[in-house]
Every structure is written in C-alpha cells, then in structure tokens.
Amino acid sequence: MTGVGFTHIGGPTVLIEHAGWRILTDPTFDPPGRTYAFGWGTSSRKLTGPSIAAADLPPIDAILLTHDHHGDNLDTAGRALLPAAGTVLTTVSGARRLGGGAHGLRPGQTHLLQAPGRPALTVTATPARHGPPLSHPITGDVIGFALTWPGQVHGPLWITGDTVNHRAARTAARALRPGTVLLHLGAVRFPSTGPLRYTMNTRDALSLLDGLAPATVLPVHYEGWQHFTENRDAITAALDATGGPPFTWLPPGRQQTITV
C-alpha cells in the first residue's frame, strides 16, 4: 500500500509527502486582510491565514504551481519560497514570468522528478480553463497536475487546478482515471462579472467525476477568500441533495495519510 501524507495549509496550498518527497501545491502564506487584484476589475480579499507558517515548512523538493498570476494561488510569501524549492513546475507563460529555472508545461507534457533513494514521480500537466468560454484573455493560462509513481493502489493523484468543467478537462480525466483527486472548488464569482463562474461548484465537480469512481476526493480552495460563493456547508448540502460520493475533508494544519 502507498500511504501519502496530505496537509492542507489553506486555500489551494497542500503539502504532499510520499516516500521522502515533499511537494507543495500553489503556495499561499500571506496573512489575511489584504485585497488582491485579479485583473479586468476583479479583486478579492483574503479572509483567513495559513494553518502553517512558511517558516515552519520542511525543505520542499517541488512546487506545483497551477498559475502564478492570481494572489490566491501564489502570494507574496509564497513567491518567496520558490527559489529554495528543488523544482518549480507551472504553465509555460508562468515560467517565463517567474524565471529562476521554473519549468513550464503545456497540458499533456510531463516532467520526471528523480532523487537517489526515492521512487521516480511522473508529473503530467492537465488542461484547465479558469472561467467560461472565451475567458482566457481575462483569466490567463492555468494547468492541473497528475502524479504517478510505481505501486499506486487506486491510480494517479490528480490536482485539478482552478478550472470549470469543460470538454478538455473531462477528456483528460477519463483518460487519466484518477484514484485520488485534489479538487479545487469554491464556485468563484465577482460582482463585476455577474453570474459567471470561474471555478467549479459541487454539481460541476460531480459531473466532471461522473463515471470515474475515484477512491478519494479531497476538496480544497473553497474557503478563506471573499470571492468564493460555495463553502464547506454549501458543498455538503449539494452532496446530500444529489447523492454524490462522500468527500474527505482535510483538517487544516494536520497531516492525513491516505492510500493513493
């Protein structure tokens, strides 16, 4: 069995530990209270801080950054962590902006993480669309990540990234058949763009996962910011109403070990 440690630090930020590897997703460690501009008149205020301070993290082998240009996925304190990480994987456009040896991946491209005495991890970029059709000029490039390694029991670990349910994501999910899903939710909306959603609500997510039957679904990025419109209570109510599969809620700041 392959036990993997997941520690939810806040928002999209999760520390994943497996067989000596320490991988951090979308580092956000700023304190609450600041308002961040997302472009085209949209913004959001951070409501809660991280459950673990950046200074208390162990050494990080790799950072998986779904996108670099939104403060709820990479903030000032998170950005300061990048130079010390062994590897930074992100979008191609994000890697150009970040410099410093960040590796850019397009959907479908892979990167192999290797180190002596540890199993090799294959990281594959997966497609994400951070809003409705034709929103790319506003929202920019975003990717998700699929992680595979020898001995997985249930199948790949899929980090969806900030995305809506769209055809490319559905196609990738069915080809991948993930065993564990780190699911970005929250149903993001902004007053300036009305009813348009920029991430999935629960019904969208259940549609995306329909027929896949992952062993574990770990919701993240649904709390702690003003622009989320569906919190844990709303997600739970939607699951109860639709009879969807149970989600596993990661306790903030405490590692939970899951068979992947």
Side-chain angles (χ1 to χ4, degrees):
M1 298 178 68
T2 306
V4 178
F6 293 86
T7 305
H8 191 196
I9 295 170
T13 310
V14 179
L15 178 62
I16 302 169
E17 298 180 86
H18 167 64
W21 291 103
R22 296 187 181 101
I23 297 170
L24 190 67
T25 67
D26 286 352
T28 55
F29 289 90
D30 285 357
R34 177 177 164 187
T35 296
Y36 298 74
F38 295 144
W40 294 73
T42 62
S43 65
S44 183
R45 182 162 53 91
K46 188 172 187 179
L47 304 177
T48 60
S51 60
I52 297 174
D56 295 330
L57 290 174
I60 300 300
D61 299 299
I63 289 176
L64 305 183
L65 179 58
T66 64
H67 56 301
D68 70 301
H69 52 284
H70 291 158
D72 61 330
N73 295 85
L74 181 67
D75 59 17
T76 302
R79 193 175 294 266
L81 294 174
L82 300 183
T87 300
V88 177
L89 301 179
T90 189
T91 63
V92 171
S93 58
R96 285 197 298 265
R97 286 188 291 264
L98 293 171
H103 298 274
L105 296 175
R106 291 183 174 85
Q109 291 185 322
T110 64
H111 183 90
L112 189 64
L113 295 175
Q114 294 178 295
R118 303 178 193 173
L121 306 185
T122 300
V123 182
T124 304
T126 62
R129 194 184 77 205
H130 200 351
L134 306 179
S135 63
H136 180 263
I138 300 173
T139 59
D141 295 331
V142 182
I143 53 175
F145 298 98
L147 279 66
T148 57
W149 59 82
Q152 286 178 321
V153 175
H154 299 298
L157 164 60
W158 183 29
I159 302 161
T160 65
D162 286 4
T163 188
V164 296
N165 179 4
H166 66 295
R167 179 177 295 180
R170 291 192 297 271
T171 299
R174 277 145 184 75
L176 183 66
R177 304 205 67 81
T180 305
V181 181
L182 206 62
L183 183 66
H184 289 218
L185 288 174
V188 165
R189 288 181 179 174
F190 299 99
S192 61
T193 56
L196 298 178
R197 278 201 305 270
Y198 295 87
T199 61
M200 291 185 287
N201 64 15
T202 306
R203 290 180 182 274
D204 297 329
L206 293 177
S207 176
L208 176 64
L209 299 176
D210 185 44
L212 299 181
T216 309
V217 179
L218 306 170
V220 296
H221 211 23
Y222 56 85
E223 41 68 47
W225 287 82
Q226 193 176 35
H227 61 321
F228 291 125
T229 66
E230 196 175 68
N231 60 17
R232 177 171 173 172
D233 289 343
I235 293 168
T236 300
L239 288 173
D240 291 343
T242 59
F247 287 0
T248 299
W249 300 94
L250 293 170
R254 291 190 288 117
Q255 186 184 86
Q256 184 159 335
T257 300
I258 293 169
T259 299
V260 171

